[in-house]
Amino acid sequence: MTLMTLLHPRAHTRSLLALFALGLALAGLAMSQIGMPLWGGTTIVLALLVYPATLKWRDDIARWGLPIAILGILLALQGFHTVEHVTQWVQFHLLHWPPKRASGLLSAANAELVHFVWNWSVALTVGYLLRAGLRNGWGYLLLAWALAHSLEHTYLFVQYVDAVRTLWSQDAALAFAQGLPGIVGRHGWLDTSGWQYAPTAFLCRLTPQLITSTRLDVHFWWNVGETGLLLPFAHVAVRRRFRSS
């Protein structure tokens, strides 16, 4: 049993590939003929993949049990999330799009509430998997990283809510509440207030990227760390589970 075994669609491979191709064709047609935005085309593709993915995960539950199946779902969703961050990085650094345009394949989902819910969902899912018996050192490191990442997005969400209240009272556009700096990164809390405290000031001097990186880069590296810990956690968990069965 390997991660590739867990992620393989098996009996649903043909339907998944056929619907993926159909989704690409429909998305390309809609984008070229009626001017559908990229996020709309991406939504078409993902919507068509829901059916074969659901059947595959149902089979995984019956074959390997709920914890292993949920681990497979987390790997798949985190994989797409990583593609989204890589797309944003390419758009910003290689294509030189402005930050508001470099919003990936699903720009409509690039909102503080979505990030807040997604990251806490990941942290809670990892906690569930550890409690369900998929325990190893990588898993505890992943949980710590996911919680820290979620706290970053909690800070961002609180900042967003405060900004919305202010903009609402001023009858200003609420879009300005999106994309505010967080704890780390340029103009974030560490950059503006962290110098007042010796430990955080030392951290800023030791790793200046914590206060100079753009928001896009900050969250790209948050995701790199999360994915980099998820893969060995899943590998060890799967091998141990099936070695003992």
Side-chain angles (χ1 to χ4, degrees):
M1 179 68 178
T2 65
L3 291 188
M4 291 306 298
T5 308
L6 177 60
L7 294 173
H8 199 288
R10 294 184 302 281
H12 308 290
T13 301
R14 289 185 179 181
S15 62
L16 189 145
L17 292 176
L19 288 171
F20 180 66
L22 176 62
L24 289 178
L26 291 175
L29 188 64
M31 292 169 64
S32 62
Q33 297 301 313
I34 63 175
M36 176 177 284
L38 178 60
W39 68 264
T42 303
T43 301
I44 290 175
V45 175
L46 293 178
L48 288 175
L49 294 180
V50 168
Y51 177 69
T54 301
L55 294 179
K56 178 256 190 303
W57 291 330
R58 183 195 64 183
D59 292 349
D60 288 351
I61 294 173
R63 181 179 298 215
W64 295 312
L66 186 60
I68 292 293
I70 288 179
L71 178 59
I73 294 171
L74 178 60
L75 284 164
L77 295 181
Q78 182 65 20
F80 175 76
H81 191 65
T82 299
V83 170
E84 181 78 345
H85 275 284
V86 171
T87 302
Q88 292 173 359
W89 192 92
V90 169
Q91 290 170 341
F92 182 72
H93 287 287
L94 299 184
L95 301 180
H96 306 292
W97 291 7
K100 286 193 177 296
R101 275 196 67 202
S103 53
L105 300 172
L106 273 176
S107 57
N110 192 18
E112 296 297 355
L113 177 60
V114 174
H115 291 304
F116 174 79
V117 172
W118 163 254
N119 282 281
W120 275 109
S121 297
V122 170
L124 292 173
T125 300
V126 174
Y128 160 77
L129 293 174
L130 292 172
R131 283 184 58 86
L134 303 183
R135 300 188 186 95
N136 59 65
W138 292 108
Y140 290 108
L141 288 174
L142 173 61
L143 180 61
W145 186 275
L147 287 172
H149 193 181
S150 298
L151 289 174
E152 169 84 4
H153 279 285
T154 300
Y155 178 87
L156 285 165
F157 185 66
V158 170
Q159 295 280 92
Y160 167 75
V161 172
D162 287 343
V164 166
R165 289 173 179 167
T166 301
L167 292 169
W168 186 273
S169 66
Q170 297 172 353
D171 198 25
L174 300 184
F176 290 109
Q178 296 284 355
L180 295 174
I183 297 174
V184 297
R186 190 182 305 165
H187 307 307
W189 181 87
L190 278 177
D191 188 19
T192 58
S193 304
W195 297 99
Q196 302 174 24
Y197 310 98
T200 51
F202 172 75
L203 189 62
C204 292
R205 285 192 294 269
L206 183 67
T207 314
Q209 291 82 1
L210 291 174
I211 59 174
T212 60
S213 299
T214 64
R215 173 178 166 134
L216 185 148
D217 285 333
V218 166
H219 293 284
F220 174 84
W221 288 109
W222 269 120
N223 187 72
V224 166
E226 204 152 274
T227 304
L229 292 169
L230 174 61
L231 290 174
F233 161 61
H235 172 74
V236 174
V238 166
R239 293 296 294 271
R240 285 182 178 175
R241 173 58 62 93
F242 287 92
R243 188 178 299 154
S244 62
S245 62

